[in-house]
Structures are given as structure tokens and as C-alpha cells.
Amino acid sequence: MGAPAQLQLPSDPTDAARSYLEPSSAGQVKPPSLGSGRAARRGNPPETPPGPRAVLEGGGTPCRPPPGTHTVRWGSMWVTALLLLLALLLLVLLLGRRGASRLEPAGRAVLITGCDSGFGHLLALRLHRLGFTVFAGCLCPGGAGARRLQREAAVGAGRLRVLRLDVTCGRDVQAAKELVLSHLPERGFWGLVNNAGISTFGETGWLSMEKYEKFTDVNLLGSIRTTLAFLPLLRKYKGRIVFMSSIIAYFALGNGIYSMTKAAIEKFCDALRLEMKKFGVQVSIIQPGNYARSTKIQPPVSAEEIWNELSEEEKAVYNKEYVQERANFFNNILSEGSPNGNEVVDAMVDALMSPAPKARYMVARLKEKALVLVCALFPTAVMDFFLSYALSKVKLT
């Protein structure tokens, strides 16, 4: 047998590689041929797969990420950074609330509207016992609620004063301001609590224009009226303003007139809160859930009274049975209300005394908070579906 064939290596391997990796007419690198293994057995050098340098020098196109990859990557980084920043801010706020000491109430004055009953009455008693100087505004100074407050005032060294205050009356508001100025304690005017409000039940067409005007005057304009009167004092002493709203500000279920006024007061507060920051005045909103059993703001409704107040045009559309069913539905909701009004008062006290009060205090049951969450995050059609389902048993026949 003859001598085996000798493998002939080129003197310059780089030149050999370039010869095998010349670009094709289309500008692409030629792949190794399928016969490279047989060529090696014949004594020819095998073809080398192209490297990065060969691709670039040979005129081929370097490998690039798909279009939009960098945009998605940067977008994800920004979202992550934003979430981390929000978490850091939340941590700072929580640490600030825990670390700072609570307010010393002695020598500070607070005016509360709507103290005849309900949250305002409970808050006046609580703040007085904590050591605040309390001005309790009552619509009926001779009523049972006002008399109870006056008995409390008799043992309070003059720190609780009951005054007539109709928030729809400019004269009453001005008289209240003069009374506060003439009995201002050493640390000045600290807080205004806009608590006065009224509620009713009825579909939109059932209520007269006079009722819409009355509810707007009490629930919305009444709070604005007292706020404007006491704003100079609040700015001077860097005090607090607390507004009574409701989770009904997010949706309406048989009392759209009440929901309308609470949604409006929330937006007024949002504007006021931002504007008062430069003066050191803190603005908070209280959003109770169903506390009908602990207040007198909404007594049980009477279908007969509702029917008698309807116009002839509305009576031609509805019937007594429908009105009765709606009244029963609403009264059932009222009967499920929490009797513990002190839960709401706790939030009001925190808004007045905390070193870092919240912008909003939602005091509600889990299912009520879930309903608000659905309303805030989901399309309106989803919310309408849930509310329509709740009313589905009440049909117009």
C-alpha cells in the first residue's frame, strides 16, 4: 500500500478562512459545504464556521435584537423604578406617622358643625374629654343633643361651648366666627370639622327642584361657607380642616341626591388640599360606609309619604307597589348599618391629631371597600352591572 496522504496546511490560516468565508452576491456569508468532512479525509482543510470578525469583514449583517426590544426593556425598568419609588415614599410616610409625637390638644380650639346627633355629637364629646376647646355647632340649641353637650360643658371648665349654627345661614356662620375669636385659647384655632349634612331617598324624578337646592345648600355650600369664613384663622395657626364625605361619593344606590353632593365636596377638598399645603394647613376627607344605625341622618323611609309627594306625571309612570318595593329595599340597607359610630370618630380624631394625617380615611366594611374598588378601577359598565343586579328584584310592573 502507498504512503498515506499528508494534510497540507496553508501558510496563512487567516487567508484560508477568508477564502472560505467570502460573501455571496446577496451579501450573506456562505455556509460551510456539506462535503467538508469528505474534503478533510482527502487531505483538504475543513471549512471553518464564520466568526464575528469574519462576518463583519466579509460584509455580512451583524446579529441585532428584534425591533422594540430596547423600548420594552427601558419601559420595564421605568415601571420597576416607579414602583420602588412609591414603596419608598409609603415607607417614609409610615415611619413619619409612627415616629412623630401626637398633637397636644390643650389650648387649641376646634369648631364642629352638625353636633345635634351622630358623628358630630360623638366627636364633640371625645375632643372635649381629650382637652380641646370645643365649639359645638347645633341646628337646634334647645334639642336633646345640645342639652347633653351643655351638661358635659358644665364640668369642663368652659372648654365646650354650644352655639346655634345653621350652615346655610351666613349670619350664623359669621356669629360663630365672632364667638370663636372672642374665646380663642392661647394656642389659637386648630381645626374646623365640616360634619353637618342631610340625606334622603328617592329616584331622580321623584325629588323636587327645591329638594335639590336644599341638599346642595346644606351638604356642599354649607361646608364651603364655613370653610371660607374660617380660612384666615386656619392659615394663621396652620390648622386642620376635616370634611365628612361618604363612600356614596363613588356610586349611587337609591339616594343619588346625597351621592351628588358628596362627590362634589370631594372635588372641592382635592383642590383645597393642594392649595393649603403651602400654608401648612392639612385637609382630610372622612368616607364612612353604612353607619345608618349610629346616626340620625337617614331615618327609615315611608313608601306612603314618597307616593304622596310624587307629581301626577311620575305617578303615571310608577305605581305604589314599585315605590313600596324600593322603600323596602332601601330600609333593608339601613338596617344593616353599623351601630358603632366611634369607628368613624376615631378617624376624625386622627385627622385632627396625627402628625401626618391622611388625605382620605375610608371607614367601611370589606364588601363596601370592594365595591368602591370596582367602581374606581373597572369600566363603568362593570359597576352598572353590579348595581343593576342588586336592584334586579325591584321591577317596574
Side-chain angles (χ1 to χ4, degrees):
M1 297 179 61
Q6 297 295 321
L7 179 63
Q8 300 295 324
L9 296 175
S11 58
D12 188 349
T14 303
D15 293 339
R18 286 176 181 166
S19 65
Y20 287 113
L21 298 173
E22 290 179 356
S24 65
S25 59
Q28 301 297 325
V29 176
K30 294 179 180 179
S33 63
L34 296 175
S36 59
R38 292 192 296 272
R41 287 194 295 272
R42 295 193 194 103
N44 298 327
E47 296 181 4
T48 310
R53 177 181 175 187
V55 172
L56 293 175
E57 292 184 356
T61 304
C63 181
R64 295 180 180 176
T69 301
H70 293 295
T71 304
V72 173
R73 187 179 302 164
W74 278 107
S76 301
M77 292 175 63
W78 276 111
V79 170
T80 303
L82 181 61
L83 290 176
L84 289 174
L85 179 61
L86 291 175
L88 180 62
L89 289 175
L90 181 61
L91 180 62
V92 170
L93 289 174
L94 290 176
L95 291 177
R97 286 176 63 84
R98 291 182 179 181
S101 58
R102 291 180 71 84
L103 181 81
E104 174 56 47
R108 300 180 191 270
V110 177
L111 172 69
I112 312 168
T113 67
C115 293
D116 299 82
S117 61
F119 301 136
H121 185 89
L122 294 175
L123 179 65
L125 294 173
R126 177 85 68 88
L127 293 184
H128 180 247
R129 292 164 186 171
L130 286 172
F132 283 97
T133 297
V134 179
F135 294 89
C138 295
L139 182 63
C140 301
R147 289 198 302 271
R148 182 185 176 192
L149 291 176
Q150 288 167 347
R151 288 194 297 270
E152 177 84 9
V155 295
R159 286 189 297 101
L160 195 157
R161 296 178 180 273
V162 179
L163 63 146
R164 171 179 167 78
L165 182 53
D166 178 356
V167 296
T168 68
C169 178
R171 290 192 301 271
D172 278 11
V173 173
Q174 187 59 35
K177 182 178 179 180
E178 292 173 1
L179 180 67
V180 169
L181 286 171
S182 61
H183 296 86
L184 208 58
E186 60 273 16
R187 291 183 176 176
F189 188 70
W190 177 249
L192 170 64
V193 181
N194 287 303
N195 169 75
I198 54 178
S199 178
T200 191
F201 165 79
E203 295 192 1
T204 304
W206 298 0
L207 307 173
S208 65
M209 190 62 207
E210 289 73 21
K211 277 199 173 182
Y212 279 98
E213 291 173 348
K214 179 181 178 180
F215 271 75
T216 302
D217 203 12
V218 176
N219 292 357
L220 175 60
L221 299 180
S223 294
I224 296 174
R225 192 174 286 112
T226 53
T227 299
L228 294 179
F230 286 91
L231 210 52
L233 280 174
L234 291 162
R235 284 196 297 253
K236 178 180 179 179
Y237 293 102
K238 301 183 186 302
R240 307 282 173 89
I241 314 176
V242 181
F243 290 85
M244 181 59 66
S245 180
S246 170
I247 63 168
I248 293 297
Y250 294 93
F251 57 88
L253 194 62
N255 53 353
I257 189 171
Y258 184 71
S259 176
M260 172 194 73
T261 58
K262 293 306 180 182
I265 203 66
E266 292 247 351
K267 292 309 167 188
F268 173 77
C269 292
D270 285 342
L272 184 67
R273 184 178 63 253
L274 294 175
E275 294 165 0
M276 290 298 105
K277 282 185 179 295
K278 56 182 173 285
F279 301 107
V281 178
Q282 304 280 353
V283 179
S284 297
I285 302 172
I286 311 298
Q287 300 172 317
N290 184 0
Y291 282 85
R293 291 171 60 196
S294 62
T295 71
K296 295 181 180 179
I297 190 173
Q298 178 60 69
V301 297
S302 166
E304 189 66 27
E305 291 180 4
I306 295 172
W307 178 259
N308 291 336
E309 292 179 1
L310 293 183
S311 66
E312 293 302 321
E313 292 174 327
E314 293 299 311
K315 288 181 179 179
V317 176
Y318 298 93
N319 54 60
K320 284 188 176 181
E321 290 75 16
Y322 178 82
V323 173
Q324 184 65 61
E325 288 293 330
R326 288 303 306 269
N328 292 342
F329 173 80
F330 192 68
N331 286 334
N332 286 336
I333 293 177
L334 296 179
S335 66
E336 295 174 357
S338 171
N340 187 9
N342 282 307
E343 295 173 346
V344 179
V345 174
D346 290 343
M348 301 168 80
V349 171
D350 189 80
L352 289 168
M353 297 187 65
S354 171
K358 300 177 183 178
R360 282 176 167 81
Y361 292 81
M362 184 175 293
V363 189
R365 297 172 181 175
L366 182 59
K367 64 179 182 181
E368 293 170 331
K369 291 181 178 180
L371 192 59
V372 171
L373 186 66
V374 170
C375 183
L377 298 181
F378 287 81
T380 304
V382 176
M383 192 63 189
D384 288 349
F385 172 80
F386 279 103
L387 296 180
S388 297
Y389 178 78
L391 296 171
S392 61
K393 294 183 179 179
V394 184
K395 299 185 181 298
L396 183 62
T397 57

